[in-house]
Amino acid sequence: MATIYYDDDANLEHLAGKTIAVIGYGSQGHAHALNAKESGLDVVVGLRRGSSSWTEAEAQGLRVVEVADAAREGDLVMVLLPDEVQGAIYREQIAPGLEAGNALLFAHGFNVHFHQVQAPADVDVFMVAPKGPGHLVRRTYLEGGGVPCLLAVHQDPSGTATQRGLAYAKAIGGTRGGVLVTTFEEETETDLFGEQAVLCGGVTALMEAGFETLVEAGYQPEIAYFECVHEMKLIVDLIYEGGFEKMRHSISNTAEYGDYVTGPRMVTDETREEMRAILRDIQTGSFAREFLLEHQVGQPRLRSQRRATSESLVADVGAKLRKMMPFIAQGKKA
Ligand code: NAD
Ligand code: MG
C-alpha cells in the first residue's frame, strides 16, 4: 500500500525565501499559482507574451513574465504546459534558466518518463500531481480542504526533493487531502492506461456502442441517448460518493441483478487481453511516440476525429436533449 503524507509531515519553511515559477496558467497553472501565493510563497507566472492568460493572471494579483524569465527567476520551476509542447519549451526556454540546486517540477510524468525532458544532474526533478482538475484544486483550497496529490521523485541531487515536494503540495492544499508516494513510471503509465482504457476511451466507446445498438434496432435516438449516455452521470455520481456498494444499493433490484449477470458478458477475456495490449503499448513507449508524432505533423488525427465526433448522430441528439434541460448549463461550475 502507498505511503501517505499529511499537513503535519510538510513544512513550508523548505520553500522560505525561494521563488516558485509556475509555467502556464491553464487548468492546473492558475490553481497552483494562486494557492501557492496565498500560502505565503513568492510566485511568478511564466507565459507567452500576448497570451490571453497574461492579463487574467495579473488581474488576479500575480506577477507575470515570459517563460524564459520565469525559469531564470525560479528556484522551483513547475511546468504546467500541455504535455505535447513541454519538451520543446523545456529545451528552448526553461533549461537555460536552471541552476544547480534548482528544482524542476511536473504535474504529470509523461515528458520525464518518456525522455522528452532531461534535466541537468544537479537539478532536482519531482512531481506533485493533484488527482483532480485545476478548478477543484482551487475551490477546495479556498474552502479549507485540498485535492489529494501524488508525489514522485525522479532525481534528488540536493537530498531535499521529498521535503520540497511535500512543502509544495502543502502550499497548493494537497497535504490537507493527503499525498501518496509513487514513481514517474507508475504515475505516467497508470494515468495513460486509466484515461485510455476506462475513463475516456473505454467509457465513451461503451456509451456510443450502446446508443448505436438501440438505434440500429429501431428504437428512437432520443430514448437511446437517455438510457446509454445521459444517465451515466447519475451512476458515476453514486460511485464517486460511495463506491460500487452505494450505487448498487441505490439502483433497483432489477438493475442490480442485470449488472451482475451482464457486466461479465461485456468485459470478456478478449476485452481483458486487449487491455493488457493497451498497457503494453503504453509501457513500451509506442503510444507516447505516436502521440508526439501526431503533434509534430499538426494533429491530423485529433482534428479529423473532432470533426467526425461533432457531426455524429449521438452529438446531435445530445445537443437537442440538453436544450430541454437548461438546468444543466445553469448548474455548471465556471
Ligand atoms: P491547460 O491546457 O489547461 O493549460 C496549459 C497552459 O499552457 C495555458 O496557460 C496555455 O496558455 C499555456 N501554453 C500552451 N502552449 C504554450 C506555449 N507554447 N508557451 C507558453 N505557454 C503555453 O493544461 P493543464 O490541463 O493545466 O495541464 C498542465 C499539466 O498538468 C499537464 O502536464 C497535465 O498532464 C497536468 N495535469 C492536468 C490535470 C487536469 O485535470 N487538467 C490534472 C493533473 C495533472
Ligand atoms: Mg532558475
Side-chain angles (χ1 to χ4, degrees), residues 109-300:
F110 189 96
N111 282 281
V112 170
H113 182 58
F114 292 118
H115 310 288
Q116 301 305 298
V117 167
Q118 275 161 316
D122 54 9
V123 166
D124 287 0
V125 178
F126 51 88
M127 166 176 21
V128 179
K131 285 289 95 185
H135 74 262
L136 198 61
V137 173
R138 181 63 183 149
R139 195 187 86 203
T140 52
Y141 177 85
L142 289 172
E143 291 167 355
V147 173
C149 289
L150 304 185
L151 172 69
V153 175
H154 175 69
Q155 61 184 52
D156 184 17
S158 79
T160 63
T162 297
Q163 289 314 314
R164 292 205 277 179
L166 285 174
Y168 185 92
K170 184 171 191 164
I172 64 167
T175 46
R176 296 173 183 168
V179 173
L180 286 85
V181 178
T182 182
T183 61
F184 272 68
E185 179 186 36
E186 182 177 64
E187 187 275 343
T188 304
E189 293 175 358
T190 57
D191 188 80
L192 291 173
F193 178 80
E195 66 201 15
Q196 291 177 28
V198 183
L199 306 177
C200 309
V203 164
T204 54
L206 181 67
M207 292 195 287
E208 200 166 353
F211 170 84
E212 286 169 3
T213 302
L214 289 180
V215 171
E216 201 180 273
Y219 297 97
Q220 301 180 76
E222 293 84 354
I223 306 295
Y225 191 93
F226 270 121
E227 300 303 338
C228 295
V229 182
H230 187 73
E231 288 183 16
M232 180 68 85
K233 173 165 168 50
L234 310 177
I235 298 303
V236 168
D237 281 353
L238 290 166
I239 298 171
Y240 186 74
E241 286 161 19
F244 294 153
E245 311 90 285
K246 177 165 180 176
M247 184 275 283
R248 287 179 171 140
H249 178 75
S250 304
I251 60 180
S252 66
N253 287 340
T254 326
E256 186 185 357
Y257 182 80
D259 170 344
Y260 298 136
V261 300
T262 305
R265 292 178 62 185
M266 296 300 304
V267 178
T268 60
D269 287 345
E270 199 187 336
T271 316
R272 285 174 194 274
E273 197 41 58
E274 196 59 35
M275 282 187 172
R276 288 181 204 108
I278 290 162
L279 182 57
R280 279 195 297 276
D281 283 349
I282 292 167
Q283 291 167 329
T284 57
S286 149
F287 171 79
R289 180 172 172 279
E290 190 186 306
F291 174 66
L292 291 168
L293 284 175
E294 163 79 4
H295 177 66
Q296 277 175 27
V297 294
Q299 307 189 324

